[in-house]
Amino acid sequence: MAAHFGRLRKGATTTAVAAVAVAALSASQAPGVTTDDLGRQAAGAAQPSGDAKTGGAGGGATGDSPYYTDLPPLKSPNPSPSASPTTGTTVSVGEAEAGIPATVLDAYKKAEAELRASKPGCNLPWQLLAAIGKVESGQARGGRVDASGTTYSPILGPKLDGNGFALIADTDHGAYDGDPAYDRAVGPMQFIPSTWAWAGRDGNGDGKKDPNNVYDAALAAGHYLCRFDRDLSVQSQINAAILNYNNSTEYLNTVLSWLEYYRKGTHEVPDGTGTLPSHSSNSDPGASPSPTTPATPSTPSTPRTPSTPKPGGAGSTSPTPKPPTPSSPAPSPTPPTPTQTVDHLEDANTGKLTATAGSAFGTKVAVRAESKASKGVAKVRVRFTIIGDTDATFTGGESVATVVTASAGTATAPALVAGEKTGDFTVRATVVGRVLGGLDYTATVTPRQADTLTRTSDTALTCVPGGEFADQVELKATYKGAVAGKVAATATLIKSADDATENDKGPYFKDADGKTIRTLTDLTTDADGVLKLPKLYADDATGTFLLRVNTTGGAVLTVELKVAAAAS
C-alpha cells in the first residue's frame, strides 16, 4: 500500500504562469491524485538562470509550492550502539526520525563523494540532500526502493494545471510523469520533466537518467544545488541554494531544521522502514493523515432495493432492510522486497586472499544472499567494505563497493589491489537495507620480493688502506625474471662466507654524522629494481673482505672487496 500523507487543501488562489517554460523541483498531492502521488510541487525556470546569490525569479522560483512541514524532534539524534537480538551484530539505535533507509542514505553519500571530486569548491554535505529528500518525498516513501535504487512505483506530484498550482503545460509528452497534458513533479527529489531534461544525472551507472531512481535524483539535486559556483560551506550561499530549489522562506527554514538535525547524527535503517511525514504546507490545520483519493475513483453500484417480503404470519411484516453502506476495498498487502527476504549471507567459494604489495589480488570476494530456505535471492544490494590499517583498495581506488546480486543470488566484489602496507586486513560483506550478520574475509598483503640479485658492473672493487673505493656497489633485483621494484634489502660487511656476523674491521660505510657503520638497513630497490649502495671506505686492514646483500624473498648476493697497498 502506498504511503499516506496529510490531505491537502486546494489553494484559495490559483497560480497562473503564462506561456513561460517553468521548471519545478517538487510537487504536492491534491484531491484527485492517485495513491502513488506524494504531495510536493514547485515551479521554476526550465533552464538554470537567475541570481546566483538569491536564487530569485527565473532560477528555480516556484509557484504555489506545498512541501512536508514535519519538523525534527528536539531530542538529539545521536545514536547509541545496541546488539541485534537475532544476530548479535552491533547496530545503531536512535531517534526514529534520525533513521535514513540504507539505500537512500547510500545514494546521498555517493552523490556527495561525486561532487567532492567533480566540484570540490561546492562543499556539498550529504545531509543537505537528506534534508531536501525528507521534505520532498519522506526519503523516497521511507525507502521503498529496489536494489538499484528505483522506487517500486513512481512518486508523482499533482497535475500542474493551474488549479491551485502553477500552470505548466506538458513538456515531455508524458515520458517521465505519464501525463501528456500537464507536467508533474517526479521522483524522490521531485523534478519536473523540463528541469530533469537538463539537470538529470546517471548516479548508479546503469546508463539511464531516471528521476525515480534515488541515486540519479540525488546526484542531479547535488549538481543543481552546486550551480553558479556556490560554496555551500558559506551559510548565505547554502540559503540561496535552498531558495533556488523552492523559493519559500518557510521551505528554507524547514530544510535548515532537518539539515541541522541530520548533522548531529543519523543511523541507517532497513529499506522500507523509514518514518513518513504527515503534514504538508498545504494541509488543513490539524488534519490527520488520510488515504489519498484515486484519480478516477470507481463509483460503487447502488444496491437494488429489496422487494417487500411476504408476511410471515397474520398481521406480521418483516422490516425493510437498509441498503449496505459502500466501503473502500481493503488495500492489497505489499509484497516483501527481495532485500526483506534475505535471511543470511553465504560464502560463494572465495579463495585465499593474498597478494604482494602493489599488485592485484588473484582472488575476488564472492558471497551469496540466501533466504531461510537457503535459496539465492536476486536483486539485493551487497556492500563490501575494507576494514583495518591498510592502503589496499578495490579497483578504482574505493574502500567500499556495492554490488547487486545476480539471478543466483551471488555478488562478487571488484578486484582488490594491494597497497604498500603489508599485513592482514578484513573485507566485510553486508546486505544493504537489512540488519544481518555479515561475512568477514581476511586478506594478506606480503612484502615485495626478489629471488635474484646481480651486479650491474663486473669492475673489481679495490681500495688502498685508509682510502675510499672508487666505484659504488650497484645491484639489480628480479623476481621470476621480472624487475623487482621497491623490494626491501639489507647490506652487511660480514666476517667470512661461513660467518655472516658483522665484521669489526676492514671496509665500512659512513652514517649521516660521518661515523663508521658496517650494516645498512631499510634499503629499497627503485622502480627498476636497482639498488645503489653508499660509498665504501677502508681502514688500515688489508685483505679480501665480503659484503653480503639480502632482500625480502630470499635473494642473496656476496660481493668481494679488496684492500691492498698501492704498488711501488
Side-chain angles (χ1 to χ4, degrees):
M1 180 176 178
H4 298 311
F5 302 98
R7 183 186 294 112
L8 301 185
R9 182 180 67 245
K10 293 192 65 108
T13 303
T14 298
T15 302
V17 181
V20 178
V22 290
L25 286 175
S26 40
S28 179
Q29 178 126 342
V33 181
T34 68
T35 55
D36 282 339
D37 299 341
L38 277 179
R40 277 290 307 124
Q41 176 264 331
Q47 296 295 331
S49 59
D51 189 339
K53 295 182 179 180
T54 64
T62 64
D64 185 8
S65 180
Y67 55 90
Y68 294 119
T69 58
D70 298 53
L71 293 174
L74 296 177
K75 186 177 179 181
S76 172
N78 290 328
S80 59
S82 175
S84 167
T86 56
T87 66
T89 304
T90 300
V91 297
S92 293
V93 178
E95 285 289 312
E97 288 291 350
I100 299 178
T103 299
V104 179
L105 181 60
D106 188 52
Y108 295 151
K109 291 184 176 181
K110 188 173 181 180
E112 180 199 58
E114 196 279 342
L115 267 299
R116 191 186 305 123
S118 63
K119 295 184 178 181
C122 178
N123 296 305
L124 171 76
W126 66 261
Q127 293 91 340
L128 176 58
L129 296 176
I132 291 175
K134 180 69 174 181
V135 302
E136 296 294 346
S137 67
Q139 310 297 22
R141 293 199 193 98
R144 292 288 301 165
V145 296
D146 63 18
S148 67
T150 302
T151 57
Y152 284 112
S153 55
I155 300 177
L156 300 174
K159 295 180 180 181
L160 300 179
D161 57 4
N163 185 19
F165 303 103
L167 174 60
I168 304 179
D170 174 66
T171 62
D172 68 327
H173 304 291
Y176 293 118
D177 55 16
D179 191 328
Y182 299 97
D183 270 351
R184 295 180 174 212
V186 184
M189 303 303 276
Q190 290 288 274
F191 286 91
I192 65 166
S194 54
T195 301
W196 186 258
W198 58 265
R201 296 292 192 279
D202 177 14
N204 63 351
D206 64 356
K208 299 183 294 184
K209 299 176 182 179
D210 182 359
N212 277 303
N213 182 279
V214 70
Y215 287 94
D216 296 359
L219 183 58
H223 278 279
Y224 188 95
L225 293 164
C226 286
R227 292 184 304 156
F228 311 121
D229 295 324
R230 289 193 181 102
D231 179 359
L232 300 185
S233 64
V234 178
Q235 189 61 50
S236 61
Q237 296 195 36
I238 202 169
N239 290 354
I242 296 169
L243 287 170
N244 200 201
Y245 208 96
N246 184 325
N247 195 18
S248 159
T249 302
E250 291 77 9
Y251 179 88
L252 169 67
N253 292 335
T254 304
V255 170
L256 289 177
S257 296
W258 282 106
L259 171 61
E260 180 65 19
Y261 183 73
Y262 286 144
R263 276 176 165 167
K264 291 178 180 178
T266 60
H267 59 277
E268 180 181 292
V269 298
D271 290 343
T273 66
T275 58
L276 305 177
S278 57
H279 298 89
S280 167
S281 61
N282 205 31
S283 298
D284 290 320
S288 59
S290 61
T292 57
T293 305
T296 309
S298 58
T299 304
S301 57
T302 303
R304 293 179 299 173
T305 303
S307 58
T308 304
K310 294 181 180 181
S316 67
T317 59
S318 299
T320 302
K322 295 180 180 179
T325 302
S327 60
S328 300
S332 301
T334 302
T337 66
T339 300
Q340 291 170 331
T341 66
V342 177
D343 179 70
H344 59 276
L345 288 176
E346 285 288 338
D347 175 57
N349 299 318
T350 301
K352 187 175 182 180
L353 298 169
T354 304
T356 302
S359 64
F361 284 73
T363 301
K364 296 180 180 179
V365 178
V367 299
R368 186 169 185 259
E370 295 186 352
S371 64
K372 286 185 178 180
S374 296
K375 292 184 178 180
V377 183
K379 298 182 179 179
V380 172
R381 296 178 68 82
V382 176
R383 180 182 296 142
F384 297 94
T385 307
I386 295 174
I387 300 171
D389 182 16
T390 181
D391 54 356
T393 64
F394 293 111
T395 302
E398 300 294 330
S399 60
V400 178
T402 305
V403 179
V404 178
T405 58
S407 58
T410 56
T412 302
L416 286 164
V417 179
E420 294 304 320
K421 288 186 178 180
T422 59
D424 294 343
F425 64 92
T426 299
V427 179
R428 178 167 297 163
T430 55
V431 177
V432 176
R434 291 295 305 276
V435 181
L436 297 173
L439 291 181
D440 284 354
Y441 294 86
T442 299
T444 303
V445 179
T446 59
R448 296 172 184 264
Q449 303 178 52
D451 55 16
T452 305
L453 277 174
T454 57
R455 281 192 63 196
T456 59
S457 170
D458 56 4
T459 303
L461 298 167
T462 61
C463 183
V464 297
E468 61 183 50
F469 287 81
D471 297 313
Q472 291 177 245
V473 178
E474 186 176 272
L475 312 173
K476 186 164 186 177
T478 58
Y479 182 69
K480 295 182 179 180
V483 168
K486 298 182 180 180
V487 175
T490 301
T492 305
L493 291 151
I494 60 176
K495 290 184 177 180
S496 69
D498 299 324
D499 185 356
T501 57
E502 183 181 289
N503 206 341
D504 55 0
K505 61 180 179 180
Y508 61 90
F509 299 105
K510 290 181 180 181
D511 65 10
D513 297 325
K515 295 181 180 179
T516 298
I517 55 172
R518 290 188 168 90
T519 298
L520 298 176
T521 58
D522 298 327
L523 301 173
T524 306
T525 63
D526 65 15
D528 296 322
V530 175
L531 175 62
K532 190 171 185 178
L533 300 183
K535 184 173 288 189
L536 278 162
Y537 302 88
D539 60 12
D540 294 335
T542 59
T544 299
F545 301 89
L546 300 178
L547 170 67
R548 180 163 291 173
V549 181
N550 301 270
T551 70
T552 304
V556 179
L557 180 66
T558 302
V559 180
E560 285 191 350
L561 306 172
K562 293 184 178 181
V563 180
S568 60

